[in-house]
């Protein structure tokens, strides 16, 4: 019933908005707000001009820092923003469609140069970060760019796999390995605060999954950091996704409907009546395959079922500042039955589900003319559950329980950050973050050595984390800038503390080239499951061997070089060294086990913080930004990762991938006569990455034990390099107040089947492989009105 109603709505909209309409040169409005980046004060009288327009199309901002440019021809647009005493801002290749107004928030930096002309022109740095306290090892995640990168399927976590030093998961998840670190060390943030893993079908302790809960229609341009983090980022040592939700349109209602392989969703936005500048933005998505299965159109086992929603309500006030209420949540479940090749025998059954959610309230308040305070209060929760059964013997219908778990965690978090500009040369940023976690965890698994079910987790309780930071940026002159600071972390569960100094320097040698350097100490707590894991000692008593486990720590050093090879071509190079210490390793002098070789979940092995290791490498990228209808990027990196456990030997890290490279490009073509808003886009991405290390499987010992047994030497074998070719194509057509887009994103076009890892199959007594994700076409239709 629901499916027929949805199909009827789609048909009605197509007829209503496409029937018989002819374009006569479409135009649209560009508007927004210009703010001082350091104080959040509105910029009055700033000029905003469409570059290349003849006659010139432009305007100036009003007393609220707002501007509006009407009747701008649709397509790609470049904007220039100027203000006396501030560095010029340029925004290149903004996509303006007939269906939606382009609403921007532009932040301008006070210049340290003497005012010799009407405006101060800064060195043009494409993809410049919004967070100006970050100097290096950072990349901007552009939502528009994500939509045209082959293999990105509108997922920012997949898009960062094109960055140097970052490798995706060839088995199909959006998990990333950054500079040889375990994906467990990646942190997700939303609206400036840490959040649980925002992915469907995610195991506890992991940071990725097959489908992102964050919908691309909700996301603003965000940032991704890979090392030597600024002082405000704590409880992380690998990488940071710093995501932002965009604001809704505060003047008119707009809608976006999408239908595709990965889901059917609707986004709505518009003004809130009775407010000045208030807006709402909301999205809801449901699994397309689940819709079709419910309607009887598809019928097969293992249909993934998931749903997610997100919203943001913005309420600005001149007197009380700006409030923003936001939320994000998702649920997913799948039942997977293994019936073998003939599908007439049930060997095993897995019922898996996961959930996550965030609800937050942020407040931004200017304090005088030089400061603003940003405060965020949030509550988040996540959890997962699994029931796994299998047959006692082939052909038997009765199933016995082999694993069950039910994990839940809720976190209350308060953060407050004060930003103060002392003058054009000096800026301070200080803040506190307080987190209180409540958890309930249970896991029960079959132990093949003991030949019985063993409870690995059975605990509920609470834990708190307190963090504080302060950073200072000194812009000595137009060439030199220095950012220094300190981050303090305290974890009350085990009374662990860390004081972490940070330092970064930038030398703008010439307007087209710069040198950067950064260093700092970083630390991270382990997943709560690791501290709560239990076992039974020889006397039959329950023990929790890792309750006192400390923080995992790292010291980062990064040096970089940037050069503008042309107006739209940029070269970046970085070398890095990360010294890892206090690594959790098994408390056994004969063992090489370390938690840093795990991607998810936990262990109940007794652990101590006595491991050491290192990651080192070099990264290079050449990127042509989207201009004149095309773009390209070439990235190459080489990294090495090793560690030492209590066995005293230096081992390869599982994630010591070696070479990682990408070549990608894309182009747009305007179709039809002038005035027809029709665009064809096509692109490709070819990627290669070294395989992960693994410990060989002892086949004879595994057959004897009827379960997988490791051989030796540990982490001595390496999976073959993974090659993958992705392509993307889309056709976009604009009508008055409506646009349509048809898109096809195909992953692994050549259907390569390189093994990703190996496992022991106790049914066939053989070693089997799990290949990289097979050819996967992802189709999507988008209607904007």
């Amino acid at each position: 019933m629901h499916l027929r109603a949805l199909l009827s709505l789609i048909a009605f909209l197509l007829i209503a908005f496409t029937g018989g309409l002819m374009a006569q040169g479409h135009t649209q409005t560009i508007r927004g707000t210009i703010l001082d980046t350091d104080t959040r004060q509105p910029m009055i009288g700033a000029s905003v001009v469409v570059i290349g327009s003849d006659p010139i199309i432009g305007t100036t901002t009003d007393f609220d820092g707002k501007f509006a440019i009407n009747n701008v021809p649709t397509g790609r647009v470049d904007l220039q923003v100027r203000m006396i005493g501030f560095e010029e801002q340029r925004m290149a290749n903004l996509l303006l469609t007939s269906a939606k107004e382009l609403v921007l928030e532009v932040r301008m930096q006070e210049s340290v140069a003497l005012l010799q002309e009407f405006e101060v022109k800064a060195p043009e740095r494409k993809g410049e970060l919004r967070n100006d306290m970050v100097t290096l090892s950072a990349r901007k995640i552009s939502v528009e760019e994500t939509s045209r990168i082959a293999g990105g399927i509108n997922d920012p976590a997949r898009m960062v796999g094109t960055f140097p030093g970052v490798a995706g998961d060839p088995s199909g998840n959006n998990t990333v390995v950054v500079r040889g670190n375990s994906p467990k060390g990646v942190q997700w943030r939303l609206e400036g605060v840490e959040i649980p893993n925002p992915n469907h079908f995610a195991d506890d302790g992991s940071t990725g999954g097959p489908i992102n809960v964050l919908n691309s229609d909700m996301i603003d341009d965000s940032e991704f950091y890979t090392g030597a983090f600024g002082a405000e980022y704590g409880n992380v040592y690998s990488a940071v996704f710093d995501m932002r939700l965009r604001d809704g349109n505060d003047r008119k209602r707009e809608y976006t409907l999408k239908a595709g392989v990965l889901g059917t969703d609707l986004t709505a936005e518009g003004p809130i009546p009775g407010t000045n500048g208030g807006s709402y933005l909301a999205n809801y998505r449901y699994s397309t395959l689940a819709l079709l299965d419910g309607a009887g159109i598809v019928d097969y086992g293992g249909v993934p079922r998931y749903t997610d929603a997100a919203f943001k309500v913005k309420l600005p006030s001149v007197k009380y500042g700006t409030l923003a209420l936001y939320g994000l949540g998702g649920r997913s479940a799948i039942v997977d039955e293994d019936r073998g090749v003939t599908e007439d025998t049930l060997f095993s059954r897995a019922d898996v589900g996961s959930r996550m959610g965030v609800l937050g309230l942020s407040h931004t308040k200017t304090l005088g003319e030089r400061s603003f305070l940003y405060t965020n209060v949030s509550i988040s929760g996540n959890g997962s559950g699994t029931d796994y059964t299998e047959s006692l013997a082939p052909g038997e219908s009765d199933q016995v329980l082999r694993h069950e778990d039910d994990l839940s965690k809720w976190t209350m978090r308060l953060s407050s950050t004060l930003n103060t500009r002392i003058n054009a040369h000096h800026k301070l940023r200080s803040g506190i973050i307080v987190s209180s976690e409540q958890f309930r965890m249970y896991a029960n698994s079959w132990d093949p050595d003991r030949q019985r079910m063993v409870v690995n987790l059975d605990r509920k309780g609470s834990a708190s984390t307190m963090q504080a930071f302060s950073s200072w940026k000194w812009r000595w002159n137009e060439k030199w800038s220095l950012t220094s600071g300190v981050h303090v972390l305290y974890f009350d569960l085990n009374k662990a503390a860390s004081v972490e100094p940070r330092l970064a320097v930038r030398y703008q040698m010439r307007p087209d080239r710069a040198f950067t350097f950064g260093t700092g100490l970083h630390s991270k707590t382990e997943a709560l499951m690791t501290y709560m894991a239990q076992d039974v000692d020889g006397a039959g008593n329950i023990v929790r061997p890792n309750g006192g486990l400390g923080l995992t720590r790292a010291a980062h050093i990064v040096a970089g070089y940037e050069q503008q090879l042309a107006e739209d071509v940029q070269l970046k190079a970085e070398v890095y060294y990360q010294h890892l210490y206090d690594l959790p390793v098994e408390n056994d002098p004969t063992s090489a086990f370390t938690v840093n070789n795990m991607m998810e979940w936990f262990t109940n092995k007794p652990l101590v913080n006595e491991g050491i290791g290192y990651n080192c490498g070099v990264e290079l990228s050449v990127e042509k930004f989207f201009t004149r209808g095309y773009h390209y990027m070439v990235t190459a990196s080489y990294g090495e990762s090793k560690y030492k456990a209590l066995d005293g030997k230096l081992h390869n890290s599982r994630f010591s991938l070696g070479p990682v490279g990408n070549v990608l490009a894309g182009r747009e073509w305007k179709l039809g006569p002038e005035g027809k808003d029709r665009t064809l886009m096509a692109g490709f991405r070819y990627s290669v990455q070294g395989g992960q290390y693994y410990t060989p499987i002892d086949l004879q010992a595994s057959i004897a034990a009827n379960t997988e047994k490791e051989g030796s030497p540990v982490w001595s074998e390496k999976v073959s390099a993974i090659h993958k070719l992705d392509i993307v194509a889309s056709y976009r057509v604009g009508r008055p107040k409506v646009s349509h887009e048809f898109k096809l994103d195909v992953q692994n076009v050549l259907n390569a089947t390189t093994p990703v890892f190996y496992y022991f199959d106790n049914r066939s007594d053989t070693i089997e492989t799990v290949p990289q994700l097979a050819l996967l076409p992802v189709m999507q239709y988008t209607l904007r009105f």
Side-chain angles (χ1 to χ4, degrees):
M1 182 66 181
H2 296 294
L3 178 64
R4 288 196 295 270
L6 180 61
L7 293 175
S8 299
L9 174 61
I10 295 173
F12 168 76
L13 292 173
L14 287 173
I15 294 171
F17 290 117
T18 65
L21 292 176
M22 297 300 294
Q24 297 296 328
H26 305 306
T27 63
Q28 187 54 274
T29 298
I30 302 176
R31 58 184 186 82
T33 307
I34 313 296
L35 300 174
D36 184 325
T37 189
D38 295 328
T39 68
R40 296 301 191 267
Q41 296 277 4
M43 305 291 291
I44 304 171
S47 67
V48 186
V49 175
V50 177
I51 299 175
S53 57
D54 187 16
I56 294 177
I57 302 175
T59 187
T60 57
T61 55
D62 61 18
F63 285 99
D64 296 320
K66 297 183 181 297
F67 72 92
I69 308 175
N70 300 315
N71 301 318
V72 181
T74 57
R76 297 283 176 178
V77 177
D78 298 340
L79 284 187
Q80 178 188 67
V81 183
R82 292 178 173 179
M83 179 71 182
I84 296 176
F86 286 78
E87 295 178 353
E88 175 186 303
Q89 291 290 314
R90 291 195 176 197
M91 289 151 286
N93 285 282
L94 301 172
L95 180 59
L96 185 64
T97 66
S98 59
K100 296 175 69 69
E101 291 184 340
L102 183 58
V103 183
L104 305 171
E105 181 180 279
V106 183
R107 299 177 184 177
M108 301 191 73
Q109 178 77 50
E110 186 177 5
S111 174
V112 297
L114 295 176
L115 300 180
Q116 299 176 346
E117 299 181 7
F118 174 76
E119 79 283 337
V120 179
K121 185 172 182 179
E124 187 172 357
R125 291 164 56 191
K126 302 287 187 178
E128 191 167 2
L129 302 173
R130 176 173 288 191
N131 188 346
D132 67 333
M133 286 294 204
V134 176
T135 301
L136 75 174
S137 293
R139 292 275 179 156
K140 179 179 177 181
I141 302 175
S142 165
V143 177
E144 190 276 328
E145 185 179 3
T146 302
S147 68
R148 53 181 164 82
I149 296 295
I153 56 177
N154 297 325
D155 183 349
R158 298 182 189 276
M159 188 259 188
V160 302
T162 64
F163 297 161
V166 182
D169 183 354
S171 65
N173 283 352
N174 61 14
T175 307
V176 292
V177 173
V178 181
R179 293 181 171 176
N181 288 294
S182 166
K184 287 168 62 71
V186 175
Q187 182 184 102
W188 284 91
R189 294 163 67 96
L190 183 66
E191 298 295 289
V193 295
E194 185 177 350
I195 64 170
N197 177 8
N199 283 283
H200 289 297
F201 306 103
D203 285 328
D204 214 278
S206 70
T207 58
I211 301 171
N212 206 313
V213 175
L214 277 166
N215 193 293
S216 60
D217 284 319
M218 297 291 297
I219 302 173
D220 200 355
D221 287 346
S222 303
E223 291 163 7
F224 182 68
Y225 309 119
T226 58
F229 311 113
E232 64 195 272
Y233 300 100
N235 197 26
V236 61
Y237 62 83
S238 174
V240 178
F241 283 96
D242 198 355
M243 310 303 294
R244 299 281 177 175
L245 298 177
R246 68 179 179 90
D247 297 333
N249 193 319
D250 60 356
R251 293 191 182 179
K252 60 182 293 188
R253 292 184 178 88
E254 295 176 336
Y255 304 91
T256 301
L257 176 67
K258 289 184 177 179
V261 172
L262 296 183
T264 300
D265 66 270
L266 177 66
T267 304
E269 60 185 294
I272 297 178
T275 64
N276 181 17
S279 65
Y280 68 86
L281 173 68
N283 172 271
Y284 177 77
R285 176 173 60 177
Y286 195 80
S287 165
T288 301
L289 289 177
L291 283 172
L292 298 176
D293 180 62
I297 298 176
V298 298
D299 183 18
Y300 63 89
V303 173
R305 302 178 183 277
Y306 55 89
T307 183
D308 52 63
F311 73 91
K312 182 178 181 181
V313 176
K314 181 181 178 182
L315 297 170
S317 167
V318 175
K319 184 177 180 180
Y320 300 106
T322 299
L323 286 170
L325 179 67
Y326 64 92
L328 170 72
R331 297 183 66 91
S332 53
I334 188 170
V335 176
D336 186 21
E337 294 184 344
D338 181 3
R339 294 185 173 274
V341 178
T342 60
E343 298 188 0
D344 57 0
T345 302
L346 179 62
F347 292 99
S348 63
R349 184 180 189 273
D351 189 345
V352 181
S354 68
R355 57 198 180 276
M356 69 81 57
V358 181
L359 179 65
L361 178 67
S362 68
H363 178 237
T364 305
K365 181 71 170 73
T366 57
L367 304 174
E369 297 183 353
R370 295 190 175 275
S371 301
F372 77 92
L373 182 69
Y374 179 76
T375 303
N376 200 315
V377 180
S378 69
I379 179 170
S380 62
N382 68 300
S384 61
T386 303
D387 285 307
Y388 176 74
T389 60
E390 63 180 27
S391 302
L392 286 173
E396 292 190 9
S397 58
D398 292 337
Q399 296 276 300
V400 293
L401 183 67
R402 288 299 189 226
H403 175 85
E404 61 177 339
D405 63 66
D406 185 9
L407 311 173
S408 298
K409 183 177 71 173
W410 303 266
T411 305
M412 289 285 297
R413 186 171 280 112
L414 167 67
S415 70
S416 187
T417 302
L418 176 64
N419 294 262
T420 300
R421 182 176 64 208
I422 300 173
N423 53 42
H425 295 273
H426 301 278
K427 181 168 70 172
L428 298 175
R429 180 178 297 168
S430 303
I432 58 170
I433 308 161
V434 180
S435 305
S436 177
E437 297 176 307
Q438 303 290 324
F439 59 86
R440 185 185 72 245
M441 301 178 176
Y442 177 81
N444 186 23
S445 301
W446 175 259
D447 188 324
D449 295 325
R450 300 172 183 174
Q451 288 294 298
R452 63 182 175 86
M453 297 290 290
V454 174
V455 176
N456 310 119
L457 273 176
D458 189 9
R459 188 79 167 175
K460 62 180 179 179
S462 62
S464 297
T465 304
M466 286 159 278
Q467 301 174 69
F469 69 89
S470 185
S471 57
W472 164 53
K473 184 168 186 176
W474 176 29
R475 295 195 295 162
W476 183 15
N477 52 34
E478 292 179 284
K479 292 186 175 181
W480 286 95
S481 66
L482 178 147
T483 305
S484 62
V486 62
H487 190 102
V488 179
L489 169 66
Y490 176 76
F491 187 41
D492 83 325
L493 187 70
N494 53 15
K495 313 304 178 187
S498 180
V499 179
E500 303 162 5
R502 316 279 174 87
L503 176 71
V505 178
R506 182 181 181 88
Y507 172 50
Q508 194 75 41
M509 179 181 179
R510 292 183 357 195
D512 63 343
R513 63 189 61 180
F515 294 90
T516 56
F517 173 81
T519 186
L521 300 182
H522 310 275
S523 64
K524 188 181 186 309
T525 61
E526 294 298 323
L528 282 174
M529 298 179 297
T530 301
Y531 301 107
M532 298 297 107
Q534 67 184 50
D535 204 350
V536 179
D537 63 14
N541 300 312
I542 295 176
V543 294
R544 295 185 176 89
N546 301 320
L549 191 67
L551 303 172
T552 301
R553 304 173 190 264
H556 291 189
I557 300 176
V558 184
Y561 174 73
E562 302 174 10
Q563 182 172 347
Q564 207 74 27
L565 302 178
E567 183 180 2
D568 55 356
V569 181
Q570 184 182 66
L571 177 146
K572 279 190 175 184
E574 288 189 349
V575 293
Y576 64 88
Y577 181 85
Q578 299 177 349
H579 172 62
L580 312 177
Y581 60 106
D582 289 354
L583 298 181
V585 296
E586 185 174 9
N587 190 16
D588 180 347
T590 66
S591 173
F593 177 84
T594 175
V595 170
N596 286 45
N597 282 332
M598 300 173 65
M599 294 184 67
E600 56 199 15
W601 208 231
F602 71 99
T603 180
N604 60 1
K605 296 176 184 289
L607 303 173
V608 291
N609 292 105
E610 297 184 20
I612 60 172
Y614 69 84
N615 305 317
C616 64
V618 58
E619 302 167 353
L620 179 68
S621 68
V622 177
E623 181 176 7
K624 180 195 176 296
F625 299 94
F626 196 98
T627 58
R628 300 188 299 277
Y630 72 100
H631 71 98
Y632 64 79
M633 181 164 66
V634 179
T635 68
S637 60
Y638 186 88
E640 180 182 80
S641 303
K642 292 184 180 294
Y643 76 97
K644 186 184 294 185
L646 291 190
D647 65 350
K649 301 176 182 178
L650 193 63
H651 301 283
N652 296 307
S653 164
R654 173 181 177 179
F655 306 106
S656 183
L657 303 182
V660 177
N662 293 275
V663 178
L664 60 93
R667 183 169 181 82
E668 281 189 356
W669 294 269
K670 298 287 289 184
L671 303 179
E674 191 69 26
K676 299 289 186 181
D677 191 2
R678 299 173 184 171
T679 305
L680 177 66
M681 183 274 292
F684 76 92
R685 172 191 171 192
Y686 175 75
S687 61
V688 58
Q689 65 183 61
Q692 297 180 8
Y693 277 94
Y694 68 97
T695 299
I697 298 172
D698 187 329
L699 180 59
Q700 297 307 315
S702 300
I703 294 173
N706 199 38
T707 189
E708 184 173 300
K709 294 293 183 180
E710 292 184 344
S712 62
V714 297
W715 306 111
S716 59
E717 301 292 330
K718 190 175 177 64
V719 176
S720 300
I722 308 293
H723 297 259
K724 185 162 75 86
L725 175 65
D726 305 325
I727 61 172
V728 63
S730 70
Y731 174 68
R732 186 177 66 250
V733 57
R735 306 289 189 186
K737 299 183 179 181
V738 65
S739 71
H740 310 269
E741 183 179 40
F742 302 87
K743 182 179 179 182
L744 176 64
D745 195 335
V746 185
Q747 297 201 50
N748 194 8
V749 175
L750 302 179
N751 200 28
T753 58
T754 305
V756 176
F757 61 87
Y758 299 89
Y759 70 96
F760 172 69
D761 185 352
N762 61 1
R763 295 208 306 263
S764 61
D765 286 340
T766 59
I767 297 175
E768 301 294 335
T769 65
V770 173
Q772 67 188 96
L773 182 68
L775 183 149
L776 176 64
V778 179
M779 296 173 286
Q780 180 177 271
Y781 166 71
T782 303
L783 172 66
R784 295 184 173 92
F785 57 99

